[in-house]
Amino acid sequence: MYDVHKIRSDFPILSREVNGKPLVYLDNGASAQKPKVVIDAITRAYSQEYANVHRGLHFLSNLATDRYEAVRGTIAKFLGASDENEIILNSGTTEGINTVAYGWAMQQLKAGDEIILSVMEHHANIVPWHFLRERQGIVLKWVDVDGQGNLDPQAVIDAIGPKTKLIAITQCSNVLGTMVDVKTITQEAHERGVAVLVDGSQGAVHAPVDVQDIGCDFYAITGHKLYGPSGSGAIYIKKERMAEMRPFMGGGDMIKEVSKDSVVYNDPPMMFEAGTPGIVQTIGFGTALEYLMEIGMENVAAHEAQLRDYAIAKFQGLNWLNIQGQAPGKAAIFSMTLQGAAHAHDISTILDKRGVAVRAGHHCAGPLMDHLGLSATCRASFAMYNTTEEIDILVDALELAHELLA
Ligand code: PLP
């Protein structure tokens, strides 16, 4: 039995008030709140078990290294990877995608080669590819979503040409909530010799992930959206692809030997982890994933599907509310505009007065905003601890915003 009230009690911040009202936290797409086990793990790491990791000979360094390195295995388990050496620890999806852009694509692609992107990518999965466009003459090809926000896998496959080398695609839109059939895209892409990077920053939060089942070459995740600390994350990279990569950040930890004339790199994945890492952030991230796996991602997904269906039913009665993205099976992420000229920032300010935290803006998705013909939306994004009662409070607050701004 999924006990949402028990889960809520695991998150200390959820019992606070904002503007004299109980907090209704619906900004999970930007960052999720942290359970007490994660906060405790951070406190324990700093108060009892802290030192720099790797190469240390003293007790605390060895302990911190063990705690830190154990997270590689936890992430591999969470993502269904068969080997923890396919996991590069980092600060999040942005770093992960940049690692692939600099470490793999810059070596493997040449001028005129193509990368396919969907129009609903987050800037983290756009701007690193623009670097390659600007600096190496790589061509970016865009695939649109339909009026409901669906991304037809066939449209992605049809965009593949003889020069296509990579498809870089989100598993879940952070604006529309659309879930993408990344498995079909990967299968078809591989038959045509094209590699696939999946941006799992949102996707991994809302449903179980199995990178072996998807078959993708690269899968990036963000710790702070998965109830872990900010500054934590990872990217799964298939062994064969990792072998094709060159390190893009140089420094300590990623080398075996350095002399005036030469450098011998460490073995992968450490070859791609230069400098002192986010030690405690990563340890906290491992605890967050253990917490999630204990609850079960399939249970989280089922709970969020209930929230999504409840919200859709409630929103249907509001003829002045536009929801961007109606794709079947979408995640519980709702980008909203009100009919008339109400600005998303004004709506979110009114909601905030009712204790309801939502995000307003372009959500780091410029091409999608252009496609929708909007400059901003107000986004309510749900998490494992949200309730249907909170949706009622959101709807009341939206009604107030409509009354005041219409
Ligand atoms: N990709 C998607 C779909 C996202 O929603 C986000 C964050 O909002 C990112 C990538 C970037 O994540 P981070 O800023 O944590 O690296």
Side-chain angles (χ1 to χ4, degrees):
M1 264 299 278
Y2 192 89
D3 184 348
V4 70
H5 295 289
K6 157 82 187 58
I7 288 170
R8 287 181 72 78
S9 70
D10 292 339
F11 289 78
I13 205 169
L14 295 181
S15 55
R16 70 159 288 169
E17 293 192 344
V18 167
N19 290 324
K21 304 272 191 277
L23 168 66
V24 176
Y25 187 76
L26 301 178
D27 193 18
N28 300 286
S31 201
Q33 299 297 348
K34 318 304 168 201
K36 189 164 181 305
V37 282
V38 169
I39 299 165
D40 289 348
I42 294 168
T43 307
R44 188 173 56 247
Y46 275 130
S47 56
Q48 298 292 325
E49 301 180 343
Y50 184 77
N52 208 333
V53 291
H54 303 139
R55 302 177 315 278
L57 295 177
H58 60 84
F59 174 84
L60 278 182
S61 179
N62 288 332
L63 182 59
T65 303
D66 288 349
R67 296 274 190 261
Y68 175 81
E69 280 299 327
V71 178
R72 217 182 281 282
T74 307
I75 295 171
K77 188 169 158 206
F78 181 77
L79 293 179
S82 63
D83 184 344
E84 65 180 43
N85 288 320
E86 293 181 314
I87 304 297
I88 296 175
L89 302 171
N90 60 26
S91 61
T93 295
T94 301
E95 187 179 340
I97 296 176
N98 275 277
T99 300
V100 177
Y102 284 95
W104 183 80
M106 231 172 230
Q107 331 304 321
Q108 302 296 321
L109 275 62
K110 54 184 188 316
D113 284 345
E114 296 164 357
I115 298 175
I116 295 176
L117 304 171
S118 89
V119 76
M120 62 184 171
E121 299 311 313
H122 185 280
H123 293 167
N125 194 27
I126 298 175
V127 183
W129 311 121
H130 270 304
F131 290 167
L132 271 78
R133 181 189 59 75
E134 287 173 351
R135 299 171 197 182
Q136 287 190 220
I138 303 304
V139 176
L140 305 185
K141 273 176 117 174
W142 297 89
V143 180
D144 274 344
V145 291
D146 68 16
Q148 283 196 307
N150 283 303
L151 182 74
D152 180 1
Q154 194 55 46
V156 180
I157 295 153
D158 290 345
I160 297 175
K163 295 211 154 192
T164 306
K165 294 290 178 331
L166 176 70
I167 297 171
I169 204 139
T170 190
Q171 188 177 30
C172 172
S173 162
N174 64 313
V175 180
L176 306 174
T178 305
M179 296 297 293
V180 175
D181 182 357
V182 288
K183 183 175 173 179
T184 300
I185 291 171
T186 303
Q187 279 169 351
E188 297 286 332
H190 282 177
E191 278 177 22
R192 292 158 178 81
V194 175
V196 177
L197 176 144
V198 178
D199 172 351
S201 189
Q202 297 287 343
V205 181
H206 302 294
V209 176
D210 184 334
V211 288
Q212 291 188 79
D213 183 52
I214 297 170
C216 57
D217 302 86
F218 311 96
Y219 189 99
I221 54 171
T222 293
H224 66 86
K225 296 186 204 284
L226 282 159
Y227 310 96
S230 57
S232 66
I235 184 159
Y236 157 84
I237 302 185
K238 248 188 198 164
K239 252 196 208 122
E240 308 90 276
R241 293 284 95 82
M242 232 191 251
E244 295 169 351
M245 287 172 63
R246 297 185 64 185
F248 97 94
M249 283 240 294
D253 244 21
M254 53 76 74
I255 46 85
K256 280 186 178 153
E257 277 174 36
V258 182
S259 71
K260 281 184 179 161
D261 303 319
S262 66
V263 51
V264 179
Y265 299 129
N266 214 331
D267 297 324
M270 287 191 58
M271 187 199 283
F272 305 104
E273 298 174 354
T276 299
I279 301 164
V280 176
Q281 292 92 322
T282 298
I283 290 169
F285 182 28
T287 305
L289 293 183
E290 277 160 16
Y291 174 81
L292 271 174
M293 286 190 279
E294 206 175 303
I295 290 168
M297 282 308 293
E298 58 293 341
N299 298 324
V300 171
H303 174 70
E304 290 187 9
Q306 272 176 14
L307 294 177
R308 174 200 61 210
D309 294 345
Y310 185 86
I312 289 172
K314 292 286 279 196
F315 293 155
Q316 260 160 10
L318 312 176
N319 58 8
W320 38 265
L321 183 74
N322 297 323
I323 302 291
Q324 305 298 326
Q326 320 272 346
K330 67 177 266 177
I333 297 175
F334 298 95
S335 277
M336 304 173 281
T337 53
L338 301 191
Q339 258 163 33
H343 195 279
H345 290 177
D346 297 330
I347 303 167
S348 81
T349 304
I350 294 170
L351 266 51
D352 187 49
K353 294 275 174 276
R354 293 284 178 102
V356 180
V358 295
R359 186 144 294 246
H362 56 57
H363 313 297
C364 295
L368 179 63
M369 288 292 149
D370 290 345
H371 175 85
L372 298 172
L374 296 169
S375 60
T377 71
C378 202
R379 181 187 70 185
S381 49
F382 291 81
M384 65 189 296
Y385 41 62
N386 289 123
T387 63
T388 51
E389 291 80 15
E390 289 182 308
I391 295 171
D392 296 341
I393 296 170
L394 167 69
V395 169
D396 284 349
L398 284 168
E399 275 170 343
L400 175 67
H402 171 60
E403 256 171 59
L404 294 175
L405 299 172

